[in-house]
Amino acid sequence: MSIVFDRERQTLTLHTAGSSYQMQIGPLGVLLHLYYGPRCEGCFDYLYLPRDRGFSPNPHERTEGRGFSLDNLPQEYSGSNCGDFRLPSLRLHTDRGVTGAELRYLRHEIRPGKYSLEGLPCAWDRGGEAETLSVTLRDEASGLEVELLYGVFEALDVITRAVRITNRGGQTVTLEAAASACLDLPFGRWDCLHFPGRHAFERQTQRCALPDGITAFSSTRGMSGHQHNPFVLLCDRDATEDAGACYGLMLAYSGNHETFLERDQTGSLRAVTGIGTQNFSWQLRPGEHFETPEALLCFSAQGLTPLSQRYHRFLRQNVCRGFWAGRRRPVLLNSWEAAYFDFDEASILRLAREAKALGAELLVLDDGWFGHRQDDRSSLGDWFANPAKLPRGLGPLVEGVRKEGLLFGIWLEPEGVSEDSELYRAHPDWALRVPGRLPALSRDQLVLDLSRKEVTDYLYEMISALLREHAISYVKWDMNRGLADLYSAALPPERQGELAHRYMLGLYALLDRLTREFPEVLFEGCAGGGGRFDAGMLAYCPQIWASDNSEAVSRLAIQEGTSYGYPASALGAHVSACPNHQTGRSVPLGTRAVVAMAGTFGYELDPARLTEAEKAEIREQIARFRDYDELVRTGDHYRLRSTGESACALWAFVAADKSAALLSFVLPAPEANAPAVHVRLKGLASDGVYRLARADFFGCLLEPQPLSRTRFTGAELMCGGLTLPALYGDAPSAQLLFIRDDA
Ligand code: DGJ
């Protein structure tokens, strides 16, 4: 049993392989949070000593002293306007002017399997993996019932949370905030790791000591965004990759989000994470309910690496779904950086031929193939072949590519619409815009109102017809602007605050319909690169283009930041042309491939501009990746040297059964007479014997003998480590494959 109710002590305890999580139905039915930490038995109510703190109110019914205050006690889901002045999880008002919520226990239920959410992506139980705890609280004044849902994946070491809020009273209630999870950590000093960035510079790793007061990370852009990922980590001040307590809070949501972290007057930390509340409101008439997005919680007592690995496994197995989730993905060549808008049928067929000759398996026709699109100013919405580029239509091109022996993939941006398009001329009210105000343009485009059923139905018909008519194996689902001018012509004034979330529900419903109807089509998520890189999109798209910055050295930090929460199997990464189109930097082809092999691996260049030697190198890269693919996609990922802290990046993938390890190393800027680079491997079998099965160096070796030995015990590689040969040149790199020989 992973969920235990102790009737006598009134505790509910959730156990996973490495963690325990405890709550208690406390005095007056306040649902107290007692513990989240290493797995153990016990009851932790003794930790919270009654204390009369000045200016911390006491519930009125509490007669035996002033020691009990909502303002001081850790809680499972905080109310508002009720004597807890810290971060609320729930804010509301009713049509009679009641504001806030005071939540008291009503009932609970433990059931097998995992709860599900209506219309929202959430983790799934593949069979007997999860148990559900539902605890219902009630706010008397508004009549709301608040059902806290916990999905306990014991073996996978993850607890999911979501909240279902039902109006059981007679008033109309307007939700102003409804968090997915609240986590109180009453003791300790915590650092926070978060992943800020911008377009083409996503998910940089930042670690900061949490100050007193409130720290916030959010998106108000209608998408999870390039700027702040819906994922934060809390860890001990001295936590490292291998030691210290760490907590992860990840939202399976792709729209506006916010995570607030409050270190209060007593040093207690409260984390509240959920849907973004700026411009958010949700009206519940009597009988109606609302469900929050899901939060994925994980704890590690042994540092950041196990925490990341748990998320990787969980996202791969229990969030990504469908045909492609666990399969090897085709190595693709994408036309974007090869041709941008400048192509025709003949040039794409030529690209396909050359891609095939290099060993690629999928040709992706990116932006520009539709309407009369010659640049990014027109035609979004007109998803029919561009007569100037493809006068014979899409059919002959798709067939031509397939005759070359490649799968065919296509780019779509279904959520966008250009003012210069037939779709916009026919349905101007389908675009988001505030009456009486000109809408903000971004990349010269507007956004379709996906909260409207007729809009998502139209998109479904259009895309499904395209997929039925043509042998399309892959769709790159792009989205190139944020949501401004939030107003829906289809919503009454009092429901306009629901629009951003209704938009997401519309998007998820559309993706759900399409991925169910076309399970064998591989959908890759994209939003101007990694603007919507989150667990919500991963439920439909098992891979996401990580960044519009395809330059390998910049990618090191982007991919490393991403790796804290997301698996390599989800990370779209390509080798692109040189000098790079985003930074102008020239990184050797070998190093570009080493970096792209930490993701789904593909190409984004025109083979016609390559020398014969480069083509030969690419053929070898693709063959090598086929050998490494399984290890990268399913292995345990280790960050061995961080780009932020040192002059080089080192990482490894180790097979789950410890039978192989792939060590990758990049030295962005070699120094003269530099100290040797030394690394200790991790995750191997100590007593195993590992053979260096393959060593590739990209750049120049200073010593003629790269490594003096080729057989090592796991203990040697993990305790003594490995001294890497000195490399010089522009951004040199190395890839070493170790295979266990003794098993
Ligand atoms: C943004 C994407 O991230 C790029 O890869 C490319 O598809 C462009 N959009 C096309 O407009």
Side-chain angles (χ1 to χ4, degrees):
M1 284 287 280
S2 51
I3 305 175
V4 181
F5 176 53
D6 183 328
R7 192 171 299 280
E8 197 182 322
R9 291 171 150 150
Q10 292 287 289
T11 54
L12 283 154
T13 309
L14 323 178
H15 293 294
T16 69
S19 73
S20 295
Y21 183 115
Q22 192 171 67
M23 64 194 85
Q24 184 177 48
I25 306 153
L28 306 176
V30 174
L31 190 63
L32 299 171
H33 173 79
L34 298 186
Y35 176 79
Y36 189 23
R39 181 168 179 144
C40 60
E41 301 298 328
C43 172
F44 295 95
D45 56 358
Y46 66 89
L47 291 169
Y48 307 102
L49 304 176
R51 175 96 183 255
D52 176 11
R53 274 188 199 284
F55 294 87
S56 284
N58 318 110
H60 198 273
E61 311 95 299
R62 189 77 187 155
T63 48
E64 67 267 25
R66 297 179 183 167
F68 184 85
S69 170
L70 297 181
D71 199 30
N72 296 322
L73 285 163
Q75 289 160 69
E76 275 305 303
Y77 200 69
S78 50
S80 49
N81 200 20
C82 62
D84 183 349
F85 297 113
R86 297 170 296 169
L87 291 171
S89 306
L90 183 66
R91 285 191 289 118
L92 57 92
H93 65 266
T94 73
D95 54 359
R96 290 185 211 148
V98 172
T99 60
E102 184 182 55
L103 300 169
R104 301 285 168 87
Y105 172 87
L106 198 60
R107 59 177 174 272
H108 78 267
E109 189 195 348
I110 298 168
R111 45 180 193 261
K114 161 78 190 340
Y115 64 84
S116 60
L117 298 173
E118 294 159 3
L120 280 164
C122 61
W124 55 296
D125 176 352
R126 293 170 306 162
E129 290 179 308
E131 267 193 295
T132 292
L133 168 66
S134 139
V135 187
T136 304
L137 311 175
R138 181 174 163 81
D139 174 48
E140 206 52 50
S142 65
L144 279 196
E145 278 187 15
V146 177
E147 185 185 5
L148 308 182
L149 293 160
Y150 301 80
V152 185
F153 289 80
E154 182 168 6
L156 290 145
D157 243 330
V158 170
I159 297 175
T160 67
R161 289 186 59 175
V163 182
R164 185 178 293 133
I165 301 166
T166 308
N167 185 355
R168 301 266 182 231
Q171 313 174 58
T172 296
V173 177
T174 302
L175 301 177
E176 297 161 355
S180 301
C182 167
L183 178 65
D184 279 347
L185 298 175
F187 311 108
R189 291 262 11 199
W190 303 102
D191 275 5
C192 168
L193 267 84
H194 64 111
F195 305 95
R198 56 179 183 266
H199 176 230
F201 192 70
E202 297 89 338
R203 294 175 302 286
Q204 305 294 305
T205 309
Q206 268 187 23
R207 180 169 178 163
C208 57
L210 284 173
D212 285 1
I214 295 174
T215 305
F217 308 108
S218 67
S219 169
T220 56
R221 294 167 185 267
M223 53 169 64
S224 49
H226 303 85
Q227 290 74 10
H228 293 285
N229 197 262
F231 176 51
V232 298
L233 296 169
L234 301 169
C235 62
D236 278 339
R237 290 298 268 289
D238 51 3
T240 63
E241 289 286 356
D242 315 294
C246 310
Y247 299 87
L249 294 164
M250 178 182 281
L251 284 175
Y253 191 57
S254 320
N256 292 336
H257 58 89
E258 60 193 25
T259 299
F260 288 113
L261 305 167
E262 179 175 9
R263 204 177 120 82
D264 74 6
Q265 55 176 347
T266 65
S268 177
L269 182 70
R270 172 168 291 171
V272 174
T273 186
I275 199 164
T277 54
Q278 189 172 308
N279 299 324
F280 168 82
S281 64
W282 196 278
Q283 203 175 73
L284 291 178
R285 298 216 182 85
E288 290 181 344
H289 68 270
F290 175 80
E291 289 182 346
T292 71
E294 183 162 272
L296 314 175
L297 270 58
C298 187
F299 170 77
S300 154
Q302 296 92 24
L304 297 161
T305 295
L307 193 85
S308 297
Q309 291 177 352
R310 279 168 205 163
Y311 274 114
H312 295 175
R313 199 168 313 126
F314 193 69
L315 292 175
R316 276 196 311 250
Q317 297 178 5
N318 298 78
V319 173
C320 292
R321 55 185 73 200
F323 182 83
W324 285 105
R327 279 193 165 72
R328 187 177 86 72
R329 318 282 164 69
V331 173
L332 64 80
L333 189 139
N334 180 298
S335 70
W336 181 239
E337 290 192 27
Y340 294 102
F341 293 104
D342 186 14
F343 59 82
D344 58 20
E345 186 184 318
S347 69
I348 295 297
L349 284 176
R350 196 252 313 145
L351 209 57
R353 212 165 303 127
E354 305 204 53
K356 177 69 184 173
L358 295 176
E361 297 157 295
L362 164 68
L363 191 277
V364 179
L365 177 58
D366 208 283
D367 197 351
W369 62 268
F370 50 91
H372 62 272
R373 192 146 161 114
Q374 301 295 353
D375 54 35
D376 60 14
R377 285 193 289 260
S378 81
S379 303
L380 289 178
D382 296 346
W383 302 107
F384 49 82
N386 185 332
K389 297 180 192 179
L390 306 173
R392 301 195 307 146
L394 208 50
L397 178 64
V398 178
E399 285 319 307
V401 169
R402 291 184 67 90
K403 276 207 194 94
E404 295 297 340
L406 288 165
L407 300 171
F408 181 84
I410 201 156
W411 179 95
L412 292 172
E413 189 175 346
E415 300 157 76
V417 65
S418 308
E419 284 181 311
D420 178 8
S421 69
E422 289 181 19
L423 182 68
Y424 185 74
R425 283 185 280 275
H427 297 285
D429 65 315
W430 280 12
L432 297 176
R433 62 181 300 174
V434 177
R437 191 195 298 159
L438 288 173
L441 292 171
S442 183
R443 211 193 192 203
D444 268 314
Q445 66 192 61
L446 301 175
V447 181
L448 289 175
D449 181 356
L450 265 65
S451 75
R452 294 174 67 169
K453 183 83 168 62
E454 66 268 46
V455 175
T456 52
D457 280 350
Y458 167 83
L459 291 173
Y460 167 78
E461 293 303 337
M462 180 279 292
I463 299 168
S464 57
L466 202 62
L467 296 181
R468 257 182 245 120
E469 200 174 323
H470 304 288
I472 294 174
S473 308
Y474 162 108
V475 170
K476 179 174 173 185
W477 187 293
D478 203 350
M479 168 57 167
N480 281 296
R481 62 159 294 176
L483 273 56
D485 305 288
L486 283 173
Y487 178 89
S488 171
L491 285 173
E494 66 279 11
R495 288 199 179 268
Q496 291 294 332
E498 301 175 13
L499 177 55
H501 183 56
R502 285 189 183 276
Y503 179 96
M504 289 317 306
L505 293 175
L507 173 63
Y508 290 143
L510 177 59
L511 283 166
D512 191 57
R513 245 173 125 181
L514 289 166
T515 50
R516 275 178 206 278
E517 183 166 341
F518 302 96
E520 292 185 17
V521 174
L522 171 58
F523 283 77
E524 174 153 355
C526 177
R532 220 160 41 184
F533 203 111
D534 56 69
M537 287 310 282
L538 284 178
Y540 311 97
C541 307
Q543 61 191 56
I544 300 176
W545 179 228
S547 177
D548 269 350
N549 189 342
S550 62
E551 184 260 294
V553 168
S554 310
R555 272 292 184 121
L556 290 173
I558 295 170
Q559 296 185 182
E560 182 179 295
T562 308
S563 80
Y564 281 89
Y566 305 96
S569 62
L571 191 149
H574 300 166
V575 173
S576 60
C578 213
N580 178 267
H581 298 182
Q582 292 84 42
T583 65
R585 190 172 354 213
S586 290
V587 175
L589 185 53
T591 299
R592 282 179 267 158
V594 167
V595 176
M597 284 189 204
T600 55
F601 198 64
Y603 289 82
E604 182 120 2
L605 43 70
D606 185 352
R609 299 196 195 131
L610 299 171
T611 64
E612 286 309 312
E614 286 171 325
K615 287 184 190 174
E617 191 173 343
I618 289 180
R619 277 193 287 276
E620 182 282 321
Q621 289 172 350
I622 294 179
R624 179 156 35 102
F625 182 69
R626 289 220 177 86
D627 287 345
Y628 295 167
D629 173 275
E630 169 120 8
L631 199 47
V632 171
R633 203 164 32 80
T634 65
D636 291 331
H637 178 263
Y638 290 88
R639 289 175 294 272
L640 298 174
R641 193 74 61 79
S642 157
T643 28
E645 292 162 3
S646 66
C648 65
L650 270 152
W651 67 93
F653 294 97
V654 179
D657 63 2
K658 302 181 188 298
S659 60
L662 178 66
L663 174 68
S664 299
F665 164 54
V666 179
L667 192 59
E671 289 169 13
N673 194 20
V677 174
H678 173 263
V679 61
R680 289 191 180 86
L681 273 75
K682 296 179 184 175
L684 305 178
S686 299
D687 55 353
V689 176
Y690 290 87
R691 175 172 50 90
L692 179 63
R694 180 166 183 165
D696 291 285
F697 297 96
F698 307 101
C700 303
L701 281 175
L702 272 176
E703 285 90 15
Q705 270 298 318
L707 287 167
S708 53
R709 258 169 70 185
T710 54
R711 288 171 77 81
F712 310 85
T713 63
E716 283 175 327
L717 291 171
M718 292 193 295
C719 303
L722 203 64
T723 307
L724 294 168
L727 295 172
Y728 71 111
D730 285 328
S733 61
Q735 227 176 15
L736 308 182
L737 177 70
F738 294 92
I739 304 278
R740 190 169 173 183
D741 245 0
D742 62 320

